[in-house]
Amino acid sequence: MEKFIIEGGVRLGGEVTVSGAKNAALPILASTILAPGRHTIENLPMVSDIKVMRTLLPYIGAHISNGRALVVEIDEIKRPEAPYELVKTMRASSLVLGPLLARCGYAKVALPGGCTIGARPLNMHINALRAMGAEITLEHGYIEARAKRLEGQEILFDNPTVTGTENIMMAATLANGTTIIRNAAREPEVVDLTLYLKKMGAKIKGEGTDTIVIEGTERLSPSTHRIIPDRIEAGTFLIAAAATHGTVTVKGCIPEHLDALLLKLKEIGAAIEIMGDVIHINGPSKIKPTNITTLPYPGFPTDLQAQFMALLTMAEGTSIVTETIFENRFQHVPELVRMGADITVEGMTAVVKGAKKLVGTEVTATDLRASASLIIAALAAEGTTEVSGVYHIDRGYEKIEDKFSALGANIKRCMEE
Ligand code: EPZ
């Protein structure tokens, strides 16, 4: 197992370029199942979640190339399945459910099982596909779905599920008739998937709003696409700059995807300058407290909650952090407390009493974004911090220690004794 050893107290400075968005790449790679022929997907981040998808697609029957630009050809579906050994390492493998069902009328996908941030069931995906005429059984830890041809349907989600919207949108592109998804997710990653589906010939309207209309077609054709930049990676670096009173330029991002975060960074006293696809941040000398509530896009993203909380532990006052998306996304709190933070959790709310000087110690990452939170805390802390469980961070961040080192951080990856 690997860990990071981080010497804190360094003001970050310099430039960092954002990689492609993992959460756009995953559904777009799954969508290649919908059309035989040669798809070319560029700007893929080299992260372990994408590696899992690069294993799953060939398992299903794809021929794929190597490298950052991925050529995928699935002329024949060999195994319309996502086996447990792959799904357990990456729950977003469930994104092949809709495309397989639409392409070959059958899909067998392992139920993902537990996740540290919450139960994360797939009931909305399953209910929607059933409403579209799929026969679905849940046995022995697998979802088995059958449908000669899915029927267009009006779907209303209890809450705007991101991968639920993506799964149903992909399934609906080859359905008979029109599907309307209401209370749809509005995330930029859903919009990027829609862009690629439309390049393949899908007839879709309303992406980026809470109502998406998909008119089913007989077939789709492969195309090429460049994945959008990762707004969560960009946000992570912006928060790290603010936490270390640094001056950082984040390049190759889409600033409007970060509006909710930028508003909060200004509230805590950071100076932000936007020039095209570049965001320049001057971290404040004194961090002001503020309150954040995570919400579906365009609200404050749950995937930046842990990182922003690390920043708030050093604010001159008390902040309230409310997590409304996942029921167990405060796993970073006990670890931050071990570094000297004063945080009390009451249900879905954390009260962060600031003005604490964090002190380095050994901490353990429990999930992808909690890892990023602990790295930010370690960069700002006095002394040395050892962050173990580094495999979590590699799921969603490409060479994060190299990018932070290029900003002046003193961070080393090494093997745990
Ligand atoms: C996507 O997960 C992202 N993953 C997550 O990013 C992100 O945190 C999440 O959206 C929210 O923005 C990918 O895109 C691959 P949801 P997803 O369905 O689609 C409940 C990261 O760090 N729900 O929008 O799984 C669910 O339990 C990851 O990169 C049901 O109850 O999230 C959660 O409480 C973490 N039934 C809420 O809805 C369902 O059928 C939102 O989940 C589906 C979801």
Side-chain angles (χ1 to χ4, degrees), residues 22-23 120-124 159 161-163 303 325 369:
K22 156 179 94 81
N23 289 351
R120 301 181 75 181
L122 296 174
N123 57 305
M124 287 192 273
N159 62 279
T161 160
V162 174
T163 49
D303 292 349
I325 306 293
R369 306 305 173 181

